[in-house]
Amino acid sequence: MSKYSVILPTYNERENLPIITYLIFEMAKKNNLDFEIVIIEDNSPDGTLQVAQELKKVYGDKLIIHFREKKLGLGSAYMDGIKLCHGNFVVIMDADLSHHPKYLKDFIEKQKETNCDIVTGSRYINKGGVMNWGFDRKLTSRGANFLASTMLGVKCSDLTGSFRLYKREVLEKVIKDVVSRGYAFQMEIIIRARKYGFTVEEVPIVFVERIFGESKLGASEFQIYLKGLWKLLWTF
Amino acid sequence: MSRGTNLFIAFSISAVVWVITLFLSTGYVNEVAKSMPTYALILYFSYALFKVGGDLARLKDYPEEAESLQKEVQEAKRFYQQQGLKL
């Protein structure tokens, strides 16, 4: 039987963490799936670590907590997370409830049906969508994806998405070569995976903008994105 | 070769062909050749407008997802209260 490990990087997610944990394990119980969660906690000032430790009293060994002294970024969070995973499949997703765990069942079904190496959630295919996004956010996101797909020549409807299921060995191979940060990081994973000949399938998801906590998006994110895109142009 | 290098080479070759055409052509062909870069830019931005505009029009909102998530948040809170957790 397959085992699924979810890597959840957290920073100031004390309100969202209990909810996402509950939703993941409820989904797993409902569908008779073997899941564990690996929390990568970067010393949040809001007490997220203490909340995670309380949750461990309920979920026991199915919840693994890895504490880091400071905010070290997503890439290193995934690399640290993989080392602690016991699953043969790894899920990466956001902890702020914008990625709903109910879609994991669809991801798993798609993977079994196609035996693909990566399943990526897409907001931009049929039955996919968003909620609580203003027009400017929608325009920025679609514009960014358009720019990336024309400049890089990559066919993927949602290149910057970060809700994905990987075969463990695929993520291990791809992630150690990734150099980008931010949204370009997610794009680089897909591009590298395709270069290695790994197969990618898409599943529609609805992305609900976070309801608790503060977004970590800022104006500098778009600048980092453009720099990352430019770098990818000369890497592949 | 990287994608950037390929694009740079394609662009350079197009630029050289355009410059040669500009110098060697006369009359109507010369007039058309002068407008080609502007036309190419207009074509690209029109395509971008069409593609992004169409994608935006198709990008759906799902208010029911936000409502259902709120209910699940309450369900989760009740679960943890029953477990006696103070979060």
Side-chain angles (χ1 to χ4, degrees):
Chain A
M1 188 170 156
S2 296
K3 187 176 175 82
Y4 301 90
S5 301
V6 180
I7 298 177
L8 272 187
T10 57
Y11 190 77
N12 286 344
E13 298 290 1
R14 68 169 292 130
E15 292 185 72
N16 291 319
L17 184 59
I19 317 294
I20 190 101
T21 307
Y22 172 80
L23 291 175
I24 289 170
F25 285 124
E26 278 301 297
M27 180 280 310
K29 192 166 84 178
K30 211 161 120 181
N31 295 286
N32 197 27
L33 295 165
D34 186 4
F35 263 76
E36 66 175 8
I37 297 175
V38 178
I39 295 170
I40 311 296
E41 209 323 271
D42 284 355
N43 202 3
S44 309
D46 75 344
T48 303
L49 176 66
Q50 287 70 34
V51 168
Q53 287 163 342
E54 282 294 301
L55 292 174
K56 201 162 166 65
K57 294 175 187 172
V58 177
Y59 299 109
D61 292 340
K62 287 191 167 296
L63 194 71
I64 298 161
I65 302 168
H66 178 65
F67 176 75
R68 304 195 304 179
E69 289 293 333
K70 56 180 182 175
K71 212 170 165 202
L72 295 172
L74 271 182
S76 66
Y78 295 149
M79 289 180 75
D80 288 347
I82 291 172
K83 292 174 197 160
L84 299 168
C85 290
H86 301 96
N88 49 334
F89 288 93
V90 177
V91 172
I92 61 163
M93 60 192 293
D94 291 350
D96 63 0
L97 302 177
S98 53
H99 295 151
H100 200 298
K102 67 184 176 187
Y103 296 111
L104 288 172
K105 178 176 151 285
D106 300 333
F107 282 32
I108 291 166
E109 273 171 15
K110 180 59 100 173
Q111 196 287 318
K112 283 183 177 163
E113 179 192 307
T114 59
N115 195 27
C116 61
D117 300 300
I118 302 172
V119 179
T120 182
S122 174
R123 296 161 284 193
Y124 306 132
I125 55 177
N126 189 27
K127 294 185 189 168
V130 295
M131 191 52 217
N132 297 337
W133 272 17
F135 179 77
D136 53 347
R137 177 92 192 264
K138 286 181 185 175
L139 181 62
T140 309
S141 184
R142 291 314 282 135
N145 269 277
F146 171 81
L147 201 61
S149 62
T150 49
M151 277 178 71
L152 301 175
V154 178
K155 277 189 187 136
C156 181
S157 70
D158 195 349
L159 261 179
T160 55
S162 55
F163 190 6
R164 295 180 183 152
L165 168 76
Y166 296 84
K167 281 183 183 171
R168 187 209 175 108
E169 62 274 18
V170 169
L171 183 60
E172 279 173 334
K173 184 174 168 75
V174 168
I175 204 158
K176 53 182 197 289
D177 298 328
V178 171
V179 295
S180 307
R181 286 170 55 210
Y183 295 108
F185 170 84
Q186 304 296 350
M187 293 195 292
E188 189 178 342
I189 289 188
I190 291 291
I191 296 169
R192 283 196 185 274
R194 287 236 167 94
K195 289 281 173 189
Y196 285 132
F198 294 130
T199 49
V200 182
E201 293 288 337
E202 293 184 319
V203 157
I205 60 163
V206 175
F207 181 100
V208 179
E209 184 59 40
R210 63 162 56 233
I211 50 179
F212 295 128
E214 286 179 14
S215 174
K216 289 142 191 99
L217 277 178
S220 62
E221 287 288 329
F222 196 68
Q223 222 182 352
I224 294 171
Y225 169 78
L226 287 176
K227 280 184 189 164
L229 190 58
W230 180 254
K231 206 169 167 183
L232 284 176
L233 194 62
W234 302 100
T235 308
F236 295 101
Chain B
M1 265 195 298
S2 70
R3 168 98 173 157
T5 310
N6 285 333
L7 287 175
F8 179 73
I9 290 170
F11 176 77
S12 303
I13 291 170
S14 308
V16 165
V17 167
W18 177 68
V19 167
I20 291 171
T21 311
L22 218 58
F23 277 107
L24 297 182
S25 63
T26 53
Y28 182 70
V29 175
N30 188 261
E31 290 295 318
V32 170
K34 276 184 199 164
S35 320
M36 286 318 285
T38 314
Y39 183 70
L41 272 171
I42 292 171
L43 210 63
Y44 179 74
F45 284 115
S46 300
Y47 171 67
L49 206 65
F50 171 76
K51 188 83 176 59
V52 174
D55 288 340
L56 270 174
R58 275 189 296 271
L59 186 57
K60 288 185 182 153
D61 281 341
Y62 287 87
E64 63 272 25
E65 289 286 330
E67 283 165 25
S68 129
L69 182 59
Q70 289 286 6
K71 285 184 186 153
E72 284 166 326
V73 166
Q74 297 312 316
E75 185 187 311
K77 285 180 176 174
R78 277 195 300 273
F79 169 77
Y80 289 120
Q81 268 172 1
Q82 284 164 8
Q83 300 291 322
L85 287 199
K86 287 179 185 170
L87 297 170

